[in-house]
Amino acid sequence: MEISFPFLNHEDSYSSLLGWFPEMDNKSSNNVVSFNGNDNLNKRKRKDDEIDGGGGGGGGDLQDLKKSPWSDILTSLILLDEEEKREQEQWSVDSQQDKALFQLNQKRKSQAVDEYHNQLEDHYTQLDVMDHLRTKRSRSAAASAVAVTAVASEEAGSDRPAQSGHNNSGGPTQQRRLWVKDRSKDWWEERNHPDFSEEQFRRDFRMSKGTFNMICEELETAVMKKNTMLRDAIPVRQRVAVCIWRLATGEPLRVVSKRFGLGISTCHKLVLEVCSAIKTVLMPKFLQWPDEQKMKQTKDEFESISGIPNVGGSMYTTHIPIIAPKINVSHYFNKRHTERNQKTSYSITVQGVVDPRGVFTDVCIGWPGSMPDDQVLEKSALYQRANKGLLKDVWVVGTSGHPLMDWVLVPYTQKNLTWTQHAFNEKIGDVQRVAKDSFARLKRRWSCLQKRTEVKLQELPVVLGACCVLHNICEMRHEEVDPEFQFELLDDEMIPENSLRSMNASTARDLLAHNLLHHGLAGTSFLQ
Protein backbone atom coordinates (compact mmCIF):
# COMPACT_ATOMS: atom_id res chain seq x y z
CA MET A 1 0.00 0.00 0.00
CA GLU A 2 1.35 3.39 -0.97
CA ILE A 3 1.40 6.02 1.89
CA SER A 4 2.23 9.68 1.27
CA PHE A 5 1.93 13.02 3.10
CA PRO A 6 2.06 15.67 0.40
CA PHE A 7 1.46 18.48 2.86
CA LEU A 8 4.81 17.92 4.66
CA ASN A 9 7.08 19.86 2.33
CA HIS A 10 9.31 21.92 4.73
CA GLU A 11 10.22 22.43 8.35
CA ASP A 12 7.49 24.93 9.09
CA SER A 13 4.92 22.21 8.53
CA TYR A 14 6.01 20.47 11.74
CA SER A 15 4.41 23.19 13.83
CA SER A 16 1.13 22.68 11.94
CA LEU A 17 1.29 19.00 12.79
CA LEU A 18 1.64 19.59 16.53
CA GLY A 19 -1.97 20.59 16.84
CA TRP A 20 -3.04 17.11 15.71
CA PHE A 21 -1.59 15.34 18.76
CA PRO A 22 -3.63 14.94 21.95
CA GLU A 23 -2.90 16.95 25.10
CA MET A 24 0.18 15.78 26.94
CA ASP A 25 -0.86 17.20 30.32
CA ASN A 26 -4.23 18.04 31.91
CA LYS A 27 -2.97 20.92 34.03
CA SER A 28 -5.66 23.29 32.88
CA SER A 29 -8.71 22.93 30.67
CA ASN A 30 -8.22 26.40 29.25
CA ASN A 31 -4.48 26.07 28.40
CA VAL A 32 -2.84 24.06 25.55
CA VAL A 33 0.44 22.36 26.51
CA SER A 34 3.20 22.29 23.88
CA PHE A 35 6.05 19.85 23.53
CA ASN A 36 8.71 22.29 24.78
CA GLY A 37 6.97 22.82 28.13
CA ASN A 38 6.00 26.53 27.67
CA ASP A 39 2.61 27.46 29.13
CA ASN A 40 2.38 30.76 27.38
CA LEU A 41 1.47 30.49 23.72
CA ASN A 42 2.57 34.05 23.05
CA LYS A 43 6.09 33.27 24.28
CA ARG A 44 6.30 30.27 22.03
CA LYS A 45 5.17 32.40 19.09
CA ARG A 46 7.83 35.01 19.82
CA LYS A 47 10.50 32.34 20.09
CA ASP A 48 9.46 30.86 16.75
CA ASP A 49 9.68 34.28 15.18
CA GLU A 50 13.22 34.66 16.50
CA ILE A 51 14.46 31.48 14.81
CA ASP A 52 15.54 33.36 11.70
CA GLY A 53 17.55 35.74 13.89
CA GLY A 54 19.51 32.98 15.56
CA GLY A 55 17.58 32.91 18.87
CA GLY A 56 18.92 30.18 21.11
CA GLY A 57 15.61 29.22 22.75
CA GLY A 58 13.62 28.78 19.51
CA GLY A 59 16.42 26.91 17.76
CA GLY A 60 16.70 24.50 20.62
CA ASP A 61 12.99 23.80 20.53
CA LEU A 62 13.05 23.07 16.80
CA GLN A 63 16.03 20.80 17.20
CA ASP A 64 14.22 18.95 19.96
CA LEU A 65 11.22 18.55 17.65
CA LYS A 66 13.40 17.23 14.85
CA LYS A 67 14.92 14.74 17.25
CA SER A 68 11.51 13.43 18.35
CA PRO A 69 10.45 9.91 17.21
CA TRP A 70 7.46 11.24 15.29
CA SER A 71 9.69 13.42 13.17
CA ASP A 72 11.91 10.47 12.22
CA ILE A 73 8.94 8.35 11.23
CA LEU A 74 7.41 11.04 9.04
CA THR A 75 10.74 11.79 7.41
CA SER A 76 11.25 8.09 6.62
CA LEU A 77 7.79 7.85 5.07
CA ILE A 78 8.45 10.90 2.91
CA LEU A 79 11.77 9.47 1.74
CA LEU A 80 10.19 6.10 0.97
CA ASP A 81 7.43 7.76 -1.02
CA GLU A 82 9.92 9.79 -3.05
CA GLU A 83 12.08 6.73 -3.64
CA GLU A 84 9.07 4.73 -4.88
CA LYS A 85 8.13 7.53 -7.26
CA ARG A 86 11.66 7.59 -8.64
CA GLU A 87 11.59 3.81 -9.12
CA GLN A 88 8.26 4.03 -10.97
CA GLU A 89 9.58 6.75 -13.23
CA GLN A 90 12.74 4.74 -13.94
CA TRP A 91 10.67 1.60 -14.65
CA SER A 92 8.47 3.56 -17.04
CA VAL A 93 11.53 4.92 -18.88
CA ASP A 94 13.07 1.43 -19.12
CA SER A 95 9.79 -0.03 -20.41
CA GLN A 96 9.54 2.61 -23.12
CA GLN A 97 13.13 1.95 -24.16
CA ASP A 98 12.57 -1.83 -24.31
CA LYS A 99 9.41 -1.36 -26.35
CA ALA A 100 11.13 0.99 -28.78
CA LEU A 101 14.04 -1.45 -29.14
CA PHE A 102 11.69 -4.38 -29.79
CA GLN A 103 9.76 -2.43 -32.44
CA LEU A 104 13.03 -1.36 -34.07
CA ASN A 105 14.26 -4.97 -34.22
CA GLN A 106 10.96 -6.13 -35.71
CA LYS A 107 11.11 -3.39 -38.32
CA ARG A 108 14.69 -4.25 -39.23
CA LYS A 109 13.82 -7.94 -39.50
CA SER A 110 10.86 -7.22 -41.79
CA GLN A 111 12.97 -4.92 -43.94
CA ALA A 112 15.69 -7.56 -44.23
CA VAL A 113 13.18 -10.20 -45.35
CA ASP A 114 11.62 -7.80 -47.87
CA GLU A 115 15.01 -6.86 -49.27
CA TYR A 116 15.97 -10.50 -49.55
CA HIS A 117 12.74 -11.35 -51.35
CA ASN A 118 13.25 -8.48 -53.81
CA GLN A 119 16.82 -9.60 -54.50
CA LEU A 120 15.60 -13.15 -55.03
CA GLU A 121 12.96 -12.01 -57.53
CA ASP A 122 15.51 -9.90 -59.41
CA HIS A 123 17.89 -12.83 -59.55
CA TYR A 124 15.27 -15.20 -60.90
CA THR A 125 14.08 -12.60 -63.38
CA GLN A 126 17.61 -12.37 -64.75
CA LEU A 127 17.80 -16.16 -64.95
CA ASP A 128 14.51 -16.28 -66.87
CA VAL A 129 15.78 -13.67 -69.32
CA MET A 130 19.01 -15.60 -69.85
CA ASP A 131 17.09 -18.88 -70.37
CA HIS A 132 14.79 -17.16 -72.83
CA LEU A 133 17.71 -15.75 -74.81
CA ARG A 134 19.50 -19.10 -74.76
CA THR A 135 16.36 -20.88 -76.01
CA LYS A 136 15.85 -18.26 -78.68
CA ARG A 137 19.40 -18.65 -79.93
CA SER A 138 19.13 -22.44 -80.01
CA ARG A 139 15.86 -22.24 -81.96
CA SER A 140 17.42 -19.81 -84.41
CA ALA A 141 20.37 -22.13 -84.90
CA ALA A 142 18.06 -25.10 -85.44
CA ALA A 143 15.97 -23.15 -87.94
CA SER A 144 19.10 -22.12 -89.81
CA ALA A 145 20.29 -25.73 -89.96
CA VAL A 146 16.92 -26.86 -91.31
CA ALA A 147 16.98 -24.11 -93.91
CA VAL A 148 20.49 -25.07 -95.03
CA THR A 149 19.44 -28.70 -95.28
CA ALA A 150 16.40 -27.77 -97.34
CA VAL A 151 18.50 -25.67 -99.73
CA ALA A 152 21.00 -28.48 -100.10
CA SER A 153 18.17 -30.91 -100.85
CA GLU A 154 16.74 -28.61 -103.49
CA GLU A 155 20.14 -28.21 -105.13
CA ALA A 156 20.64 -31.95 -105.12
CA GLY A 157 17.23 -32.42 -106.66
CA SER A 158 17.94 -29.90 -109.38
CA ASP A 159 21.19 -31.66 -110.25
CA ARG A 160 19.37 -35.03 -110.50
CA PRO A 161 15.89 -34.34 -111.85
CA ALA A 162 15.38 -37.92 -112.92
CA GLN A 163 15.58 -39.07 -109.28
CA SER A 164 13.36 -36.37 -107.72
CA GLY A 165 10.53 -38.72 -106.92
CA HIS A 166 12.22 -42.10 -106.77
CA ASN A 167 15.16 -43.77 -105.13
CA ASN A 168 17.74 -46.02 -106.84
CA SER A 169 15.46 -49.03 -106.64
CA GLY A 170 12.68 -47.19 -108.41
CA GLY A 171 10.52 -46.62 -105.28
CA PRO A 172 9.20 -43.22 -104.02
CA THR A 173 11.48 -41.20 -101.69
CA GLN A 174 10.34 -40.44 -98.08
CA GLN A 175 9.75 -36.88 -96.85
CA ARG A 176 12.65 -35.56 -94.76
CA ARG A 177 11.68 -35.38 -91.06
CA LEU A 178 13.40 -34.37 -87.82
CA TRP A 179 15.16 -37.29 -86.23
CA VAL A 180 13.47 -38.46 -82.99
CA LYS A 181 14.66 -41.23 -80.71
CA ASP A 182 12.32 -44.19 -80.80
CA ARG A 183 10.79 -44.66 -77.31
CA SER A 184 8.10 -47.08 -76.23
CA LYS A 185 4.71 -45.58 -75.40
CA ASP A 186 3.05 -48.86 -74.47
CA TRP A 187 2.59 -47.91 -70.81
CA TRP A 188 0.64 -44.75 -71.60
CA GLU A 189 -1.30 -46.26 -74.49
CA GLU A 190 -2.46 -49.05 -72.18
CA ARG A 191 -3.80 -46.54 -69.63
CA ASN A 192 -5.32 -44.36 -72.31
CA HIS A 193 -7.36 -47.27 -73.64
CA PRO A 194 -11.11 -47.12 -72.78
CA ASP A 195 -11.03 -50.66 -71.38
CA PHE A 196 -8.26 -49.95 -68.88
CA SER A 197 -9.19 -50.73 -65.26
CA GLU A 198 -10.77 -47.82 -63.35
CA GLU A 199 -9.17 -48.94 -60.10
CA GLN A 200 -5.68 -49.08 -61.57
CA PHE A 201 -6.17 -45.72 -63.27
CA ARG A 202 -7.14 -44.20 -59.92
CA ARG A 203 -4.03 -45.66 -58.30
CA ASP A 204 -1.78 -44.21 -61.02
CA PHE A 205 -3.30 -40.72 -61.29
CA ARG A 206 -5.01 -40.34 -57.86
CA MET A 207 -8.33 -39.62 -59.55
CA SER A 208 -11.02 -41.31 -61.58
CA LYS A 209 -11.24 -41.29 -65.36
CA GLY A 210 -14.20 -38.94 -65.20
CA THR A 211 -12.27 -36.33 -63.23
CA PHE A 212 -9.26 -36.72 -65.54
CA ASN A 213 -11.44 -36.23 -68.61
CA MET A 214 -13.00 -33.11 -67.10
CA ILE A 215 -9.57 -31.59 -66.46
CA CYS A 216 -8.48 -32.35 -70.02
CA GLU A 217 -11.58 -30.66 -71.43
CA GLU A 218 -11.01 -27.56 -69.28
CA LEU A 219 -7.34 -27.28 -70.31
CA GLU A 220 -7.65 -28.26 -73.95
CA THR A 221 -7.55 -24.76 -75.44
CA ALA A 222 -4.69 -23.70 -73.14
CA VAL A 223 -2.28 -26.63 -73.69
CA MET A 224 -3.14 -27.86 -77.22
CA LYS A 225 -0.41 -27.45 -79.84
CA LYS A 226 -0.62 -27.67 -83.64
CA ASN A 227 1.18 -30.23 -85.77
CA THR A 228 4.26 -29.02 -87.62
CA MET A 229 5.97 -30.12 -90.80
CA LEU A 230 8.69 -31.83 -88.74
CA ARG A 231 6.58 -33.71 -86.19
CA ASP A 232 3.08 -34.22 -84.81
CA ALA A 233 2.11 -32.40 -81.64
CA ILE A 234 1.72 -34.33 -78.39
CA PRO A 235 -2.02 -34.91 -77.68
CA VAL A 236 -3.72 -32.96 -74.90
CA ARG A 237 -4.54 -36.06 -72.84
CA GLN A 238 -0.92 -37.18 -72.87
CA ARG A 239 0.28 -33.69 -71.89
CA VAL A 240 -2.08 -33.56 -68.91
CA ALA A 241 -1.27 -37.15 -67.97
CA VAL A 242 2.48 -36.41 -67.84
CA CYS A 243 1.91 -33.55 -65.42
CA ILE A 244 -0.58 -35.31 -63.15
CA TRP A 245 1.42 -38.56 -62.98
CA ARG A 246 4.57 -36.62 -62.13
CA LEU A 247 2.78 -34.74 -59.32
CA ALA A 248 1.05 -37.87 -58.05
CA THR A 249 4.10 -40.11 -57.86
CA GLY A 250 6.96 -37.67 -57.45
CA GLU A 251 9.08 -39.91 -59.68
CA PRO A 252 12.21 -38.43 -61.32
CA LEU A 253 11.91 -37.07 -64.85
CA ARG A 254 13.90 -39.99 -66.27
CA VAL A 255 11.19 -42.38 -65.04
CA VAL A 256 8.45 -40.12 -66.44
CA SER A 257 10.30 -40.15 -69.76
CA LYS A 258 10.30 -43.97 -69.89
CA ARG A 259 6.62 -44.25 -68.97
CA PHE A 260 5.32 -41.86 -71.62
CA GLY A 261 7.93 -42.37 -74.37
CA LEU A 262 9.06 -38.73 -74.36
CA GLY A 263 12.34 -36.92 -73.79
CA ILE A 264 13.34 -35.83 -70.30
CA SER A 265 13.42 -32.15 -71.22
CA THR A 266 10.08 -32.52 -72.97
CA CYS A 267 8.49 -34.01 -69.86
CA HIS A 268 9.87 -31.22 -67.69
CA LYS A 269 8.53 -28.62 -70.10
CA LEU A 270 5.10 -30.30 -70.19
CA VAL A 271 4.85 -30.34 -66.39
CA LEU A 272 5.52 -26.59 -66.18
CA GLU A 273 3.19 -25.76 -69.09
CA VAL A 274 0.27 -27.74 -67.68
CA CYS A 275 0.81 -26.37 -64.15
CA SER A 276 0.81 -22.84 -65.55
CA ALA A 277 -2.41 -23.59 -67.45
CA ILE A 278 -4.00 -24.97 -64.26
CA LYS A 279 -3.11 -21.76 -62.45
CA THR A 280 -4.50 -19.58 -65.25
CA VAL A 281 -7.63 -21.54 -66.20
CA LEU A 282 -8.68 -23.65 -63.22
CA MET A 283 -7.57 -21.65 -60.18
CA PRO A 284 -10.14 -18.84 -60.66
CA LYS A 285 -12.87 -21.51 -60.82
CA PHE A 286 -11.85 -23.93 -58.10
CA LEU A 287 -9.78 -21.91 -55.59
CA GLN A 288 -11.34 -18.65 -54.47
CA TRP A 289 -12.55 -16.95 -51.29
CA PRO A 290 -16.26 -17.72 -50.70
CA ASP A 291 -18.88 -15.13 -51.52
CA GLU A 292 -21.47 -13.96 -48.99
CA GLN A 293 -23.84 -16.89 -49.54
CA LYS A 294 -21.09 -19.53 -49.37
CA MET A 295 -19.57 -17.82 -46.35
CA LYS A 296 -22.85 -18.11 -44.46
CA GLN A 297 -23.00 -21.81 -45.29
CA THR A 298 -19.37 -22.22 -44.18
CA LYS A 299 -20.08 -20.52 -40.85
CA ASP A 300 -23.07 -22.76 -40.21
CA GLU A 301 -21.10 -25.92 -40.96
CA PHE A 302 -18.17 -24.94 -38.73
CA GLU A 303 -20.56 -23.97 -35.93
CA SER A 304 -22.18 -27.41 -36.15
CA ILE A 305 -18.69 -28.94 -35.81
CA SER A 306 -17.40 -26.88 -32.90
CA GLY A 307 -20.19 -24.72 -31.50
CA ILE A 308 -18.11 -21.58 -32.24
CA PRO A 309 -20.04 -19.02 -34.33
CA ASN A 310 -18.77 -16.95 -37.30
CA VAL A 311 -15.87 -19.27 -38.21
CA GLY A 312 -15.14 -18.74 -41.90
CA GLY A 313 -12.09 -20.95 -42.33
CA SER A 314 -9.43 -23.13 -40.73
CA MET A 315 -5.79 -22.12 -41.33
CA TYR A 316 -2.62 -24.21 -41.31
CA THR A 317 0.98 -23.77 -42.51
CA THR A 318 3.10 -26.65 -43.78
CA HIS A 319 6.65 -26.98 -45.15
CA ILE A 320 7.71 -28.44 -48.51
CA PRO A 321 11.28 -29.85 -48.66
CA ILE A 322 13.58 -28.43 -51.33
CA ILE A 323 17.17 -28.79 -52.49
CA ALA A 324 19.50 -26.23 -50.91
CA PRO A 325 19.29 -23.07 -53.07
CA LYS A 326 22.41 -21.45 -54.46
CA ILE A 327 21.69 -18.02 -52.96
CA ASN A 328 20.53 -16.99 -49.48
CA VAL A 329 20.60 -20.60 -48.37
CA SER A 330 20.27 -19.67 -44.67
CA HIS A 331 16.79 -18.22 -45.23
CA TYR A 332 15.50 -21.62 -46.34
CA PHE A 333 17.22 -23.61 -43.59
CA ASN A 334 14.60 -25.46 -41.49
CA LYS A 335 16.07 -25.87 -38.03
CA ARG A 336 13.19 -27.91 -36.56
CA HIS A 337 13.09 -30.46 -39.39
CA THR A 338 16.89 -30.71 -39.27
CA GLU A 339 16.82 -31.55 -35.56
CA ARG A 340 14.04 -34.11 -36.02
CA ASN A 341 15.44 -35.84 -39.12
CA GLN A 342 19.10 -35.58 -38.06
CA LYS A 343 20.06 -34.24 -41.48
CA THR A 344 20.18 -30.77 -42.99
CA SER A 345 16.76 -29.72 -44.29
CA TYR A 346 15.60 -26.79 -46.41
CA SER A 347 12.00 -25.90 -47.16
CA ILE A 348 9.48 -23.35 -48.34
CA THR A 349 6.10 -22.72 -46.73
CA VAL A 350 2.53 -23.24 -47.89
CA GLN A 351 -0.16 -21.47 -45.86
CA GLY A 352 -3.74 -22.46 -46.62
CA VAL A 353 -7.27 -21.73 -45.40
CA VAL A 354 -9.87 -24.49 -45.93
CA ASP A 355 -13.63 -24.78 -45.63
CA PRO A 356 -15.40 -27.56 -43.65
CA ARG A 357 -14.95 -29.99 -46.57
CA GLY A 358 -11.18 -29.48 -46.68
CA VAL A 359 -11.28 -27.39 -49.88
CA PHE A 360 -8.74 -24.58 -50.06
CA THR A 361 -10.22 -21.08 -50.18
CA ASP A 362 -6.90 -19.20 -49.89
CA VAL A 363 -3.23 -20.16 -50.26
CA CYS A 364 0.07 -18.36 -49.75
CA ILE A 365 3.06 -20.18 -51.26
CA GLY A 366 6.80 -19.70 -51.46
CA TRP A 367 8.10 -17.93 -48.35
CA PRO A 368 11.38 -19.32 -46.89
CA GLY A 369 11.20 -22.16 -44.40
CA SER A 370 13.05 -20.26 -41.67
CA MET A 371 10.12 -17.88 -41.23
CA PRO A 372 7.66 -18.74 -38.41
CA ASP A 373 3.95 -19.02 -39.07
CA ASP A 374 3.08 -15.55 -37.81
CA GLN A 375 5.53 -13.87 -40.20
CA VAL A 376 4.24 -15.93 -43.14
CA LEU A 377 0.72 -14.77 -42.24
CA GLU A 378 1.82 -11.11 -42.21
CA LYS A 379 3.24 -11.51 -45.73
CA SER A 380 0.09 -13.10 -47.19
CA ALA A 381 -2.63 -11.47 -49.28
CA LEU A 382 -5.15 -12.71 -46.71
CA TYR A 383 -3.56 -10.46 -44.08
CA GLN A 384 -3.78 -7.47 -46.44
CA ARG A 385 -7.46 -8.13 -47.15
CA ALA A 386 -8.18 -8.39 -43.44
CA ASN A 387 -6.46 -5.05 -42.76
CA LYS A 388 -8.74 -3.47 -45.35
CA GLY A 389 -11.79 -4.70 -43.43
CA LEU A 390 -12.85 -7.39 -45.89
CA LEU A 391 -13.03 -10.08 -43.16
CA LYS A 392 -15.42 -8.29 -40.85
CA ASP A 393 -17.43 -10.59 -38.56
CA VAL A 394 -15.38 -13.60 -39.70
CA TRP A 395 -13.05 -15.75 -37.59
CA VAL A 396 -10.20 -17.63 -39.25
CA VAL A 397 -9.09 -20.32 -36.79
CA GLY A 398 -5.31 -20.66 -36.62
CA THR A 399 -2.84 -22.75 -34.66
CA SER A 400 -0.73 -21.84 -31.65
CA GLY A 401 1.89 -20.55 -34.10
CA HIS A 402 -0.42 -17.72 -35.18
CA PRO A 403 -1.15 -14.56 -33.16
CA LEU A 404 -4.55 -13.69 -31.68
CA MET A 405 -6.03 -10.84 -33.72
CA ASP A 406 -9.43 -9.32 -34.45
CA TRP A 407 -10.03 -11.90 -37.20
CA VAL A 408 -7.65 -14.75 -36.18
CA LEU A 409 -8.84 -17.06 -33.40
CA VAL A 410 -6.21 -19.26 -31.75
CA PRO A 411 -6.15 -21.58 -28.70
CA TYR A 412 -4.90 -20.60 -25.26
CA THR A 413 -1.16 -21.27 -24.97
CA GLN A 414 -0.29 -20.28 -21.40
CA LYS A 415 0.29 -22.82 -18.63
CA ASN A 416 -2.22 -23.82 -15.92
CA LEU A 417 -5.36 -23.43 -18.01
CA THR A 418 -8.78 -23.22 -16.42
CA TRP A 419 -11.58 -25.65 -17.23
CA THR A 420 -13.16 -23.04 -19.46
CA GLN A 421 -9.93 -22.58 -21.42
CA HIS A 422 -9.39 -26.33 -21.69
CA ALA A 423 -12.91 -26.76 -23.07
CA PHE A 424 -12.35 -23.96 -25.59
CA ASN A 425 -9.06 -25.47 -26.79
CA GLU A 426 -10.77 -28.82 -27.27
CA LYS A 427 -13.46 -27.31 -29.48
CA ILE A 428 -11.13 -25.10 -31.45
CA GLY A 429 -8.98 -28.19 -32.00
CA ASP A 430 -11.91 -29.73 -33.91
CA VAL A 431 -11.74 -26.81 -36.36
CA GLN A 432 -7.95 -26.99 -36.62
CA ARG A 433 -8.15 -30.70 -37.40
CA VAL A 434 -10.11 -29.93 -40.57
CA ALA A 435 -7.19 -27.95 -42.03
CA LYS A 436 -4.53 -30.37 -40.83
CA ASP A 437 -6.35 -33.38 -42.27
CA SER A 438 -6.78 -31.53 -45.56
CA PHE A 439 -3.04 -30.83 -45.78
CA ALA A 440 -2.34 -34.47 -44.94
CA ARG A 441 -4.56 -35.60 -47.84
CA LEU A 442 -2.84 -33.04 -50.08
CA LYS A 443 0.57 -34.55 -49.41
CA ARG A 444 -0.68 -38.14 -49.62
CA ARG A 445 -2.39 -37.49 -52.94
CA TRP A 446 0.53 -35.60 -54.52
CA SER A 447 3.68 -37.43 -53.43
CA CYS A 448 5.93 -34.81 -55.07
CA LEU A 449 5.30 -32.68 -51.96
CA GLN A 450 6.87 -35.27 -49.66
CA LYS A 451 10.41 -35.15 -51.02
CA ARG A 452 12.83 -32.73 -52.58
CA THR A 453 11.89 -31.97 -56.15
CA GLU A 454 13.89 -31.26 -59.30
CA VAL A 455 11.89 -28.13 -60.05
CA LYS A 456 13.73 -24.83 -59.78
CA LEU A 457 12.93 -22.68 -56.78
CA GLN A 458 11.41 -19.86 -58.85
CA GLU A 459 9.13 -22.34 -60.66
CA LEU A 460 8.07 -24.25 -57.56
CA PRO A 461 5.19 -21.93 -56.45
CA VAL A 462 3.37 -22.58 -59.75
CA VAL A 463 3.70 -26.35 -59.26
CA LEU A 464 2.50 -26.17 -55.64
CA GLY A 465 -0.43 -23.97 -56.65
CA ALA A 466 -1.41 -26.54 -59.27
CA CYS A 467 -1.35 -29.26 -56.58
CA CYS A 468 -3.72 -27.21 -54.42
CA VAL A 469 -6.13 -26.66 -57.34
CA LEU A 470 -6.12 -30.35 -58.30
CA HIS A 471 -6.67 -31.20 -54.61
CA ASN A 472 -9.76 -28.97 -54.60
CA ILE A 473 -11.13 -30.63 -57.73
CA CYS A 474 -10.69 -34.08 -56.21
CA GLU A 475 -12.28 -32.99 -52.90
CA MET A 476 -15.26 -31.40 -54.65
CA ARG A 477 -15.80 -34.55 -56.71
CA HIS A 478 -15.40 -36.75 -53.59
CA GLU A 479 -12.29 -38.55 -54.83
CA GLU A 480 -11.05 -40.77 -52.01
CA VAL A 481 -7.35 -41.14 -51.24
CA ASP A 482 -6.16 -44.74 -51.32
CA PRO A 483 -5.32 -45.85 -47.73
CA GLU A 484 -2.14 -47.35 -49.14
CA PHE A 485 -0.67 -43.86 -49.57
CA GLN A 486 0.08 -43.00 -45.95
CA PHE A 487 1.95 -39.90 -44.81
CA GLU A 488 2.42 -38.46 -41.33
CA LEU A 489 2.15 -34.68 -41.30
CA LEU A 490 4.71 -33.11 -38.94
CA ASP A 491 5.02 -29.33 -38.71
CA ASP A 492 6.38 -27.82 -35.51
CA GLU A 493 4.44 -24.81 -34.26
CA MET A 494 6.43 -21.99 -32.67
CA ILE A 495 4.53 -19.64 -30.38
CA PRO A 496 5.13 -16.09 -31.70
CA GLU A 497 6.95 -13.51 -29.60
CA ASN A 498 3.91 -11.25 -29.65
CA SER A 499 1.03 -13.73 -29.51
CA LEU A 500 -1.60 -11.14 -28.50
CA ARG A 501 -2.26 -8.42 -31.07
CA SER A 502 -5.70 -7.26 -29.93
CA MET A 503 -7.27 -6.84 -26.50
CA ASN A 504 -10.73 -6.87 -28.11
CA ALA A 505 -9.94 -10.28 -29.57
CA SER A 506 -8.80 -11.51 -26.15
CA THR A 507 -12.08 -10.38 -24.59
CA ALA A 508 -14.07 -11.97 -27.41
CA ARG A 509 -12.19 -15.27 -27.01
CA ASP A 510 -12.88 -15.33 -23.26
CA LEU A 511 -16.57 -14.73 -23.95
CA LEU A 512 -16.66 -17.55 -26.52
CA ALA A 513 -14.96 -19.91 -24.07
CA HIS A 514 -17.44 -18.97 -21.32
CA ASN A 515 -20.43 -19.57 -23.61
CA LEU A 516 -19.09 -22.92 -24.78
CA LEU A 517 -18.67 -24.26 -21.25
CA HIS A 518 -21.72 -22.79 -19.54
CA HIS A 519 -24.16 -23.50 -22.36
CA GLY A 520 -23.25 -27.17 -22.58
CA LEU A 521 -21.50 -26.85 -25.96
CA ALA A 522 -18.01 -27.83 -24.79
CA GLY A 523 -16.83 -31.37 -24.34
CA THR A 524 -15.37 -32.89 -21.20
CA SER A 525 -12.71 -35.16 -22.62
CA PHE A 526 -10.01 -32.94 -21.10
CA LEU A 527 -11.23 -34.08 -17.67
CA GLN A 528 -10.53 -37.73 -18.39
Side-chain angles (χ1 to χ4, degrees), residues 28-41:
S28 174
S29 61
N30 296 326
N31 295 328
V32 179
V33 180
S34 61
F35 278 89
N36 58 7
N38 294 327
D39 296 332
N40 193 334
L41 295 176

Side-chain angles (χ1 to χ4, degrees), residues 415-523:
K415 297 181 180 179
N416 301 324
L417 300 178
T418 64
W419 283 14
T420 303
Q421 294 169 345
H422 271 296
F424 176 81
N425 284 0
E426 179 182 343
K427 282 301 180 181
I428 207 172
D430 295 337
V431 181
Q432 292 174 349
R433 197 172 299 111
V434 175
K436 190 170 183 179
D437 291 345
S438 180
F439 270 97
R441 292 196 300 274
L442 173 72
K443 289 191 173 184
R444 286 200 300 266
R445 180 176 279 127
W446 311 118
S447 300
C448 66
L449 306 180
Q450 302 176 15
K451 49 190 175 183
R452 297 182 298 180
T453 178
E454 300 169 344
V455 180
K456 295 180 180 179
L457 187 60
Q458 68 270 25
E459 298 169 345
L460 193 55
V462 177
V463 176
L464 300 182
C467 291
C468 294
V469 174
L470 294 175
H471 167 85
N472 280 5
I473 294 175
C474 293
E475 293 292 317
M476 292 177 181
R477 295 176 66 91
H478 306 289
E479 298 282 356
E480 297 292 338
V481 181
D482 196 323
E484 178 184 351
F485 306 116
Q486 296 294 331
F487 179 76
E488 184 178 2
L489 188 65
L490 293 175
D491 290 294
D492 299 323
E493 299 171 2
M494 294 179 57
I495 299 178
E497 296 179 1
N498 184 14
S499 59
L500 178 60
R501 306 287 179 87
S502 171
M503 293 303 301
N504 293 333
S506 179
T507 304
R509 180 175 66 174
D510 293 340
L511 182 60
L512 287 173
H514 176 82
N515 292 336
L516 285 175
L517 183 64
H518 295 281
H519 289 78
L521 300 176

Side-chain angles (χ1 to χ4, degrees), residues 187 245 249 251-261 264 267:
W187 186 89
W245 193 80
T249 62
E251 295 288 351
L253 289 172
R254 55 181 177 79
V255 179
V256 181
S257 172
K258 292 180 180 180
R259 287 287 187 270
F260 290 89
I264 294 178
C267 292

Side-chain angles (χ1 to χ4, degrees), residues 90-104:
Q90 184 65 29
W91 179 83
S92 177
V93 172
D94 295 341
S95 299
Q96 293 294 333
Q97 292 177 352
D98 292 342
K99 182 178 180 181
L101 181 61
F102 175 77
Q103 292 177 349
L104 180 61

Side-chain angles (χ1 to χ4, degrees), residues 207 212 215-216 218-220 222-225 234-247 262 266-283 462-467 469-470 473:
M207 62 181 65
F212 179 81
I215 294 174
C216 292
E218 292 282 347
L219 299 178
E220 183 174 5
V223 302
M224 183 174 60
K225 303 295 182 180
I234 302 173
V236 172
R237 290 178 59 84
Q238 188 175 4
R239 289 173 175 269
V240 176
V242 168
C243 178
I244 294 181
W245 193 80
R246 164 88 162 112
L247 299 179
L262 301 172
T266 301
C267 292
H268 178 67
K269 182 179 178 181
L270 289 178
V271 171
L272 297 181
E273 287 181 354
V274 175
C275 286
S276 179
I278 291 174
K279 177 184 176 182
T280 304
V281 178
L282 299 182
M283 183 173 286
V462 177
V463 176
L464 300 182
C467 291
V469 174
L470 294 175
I473 294 175

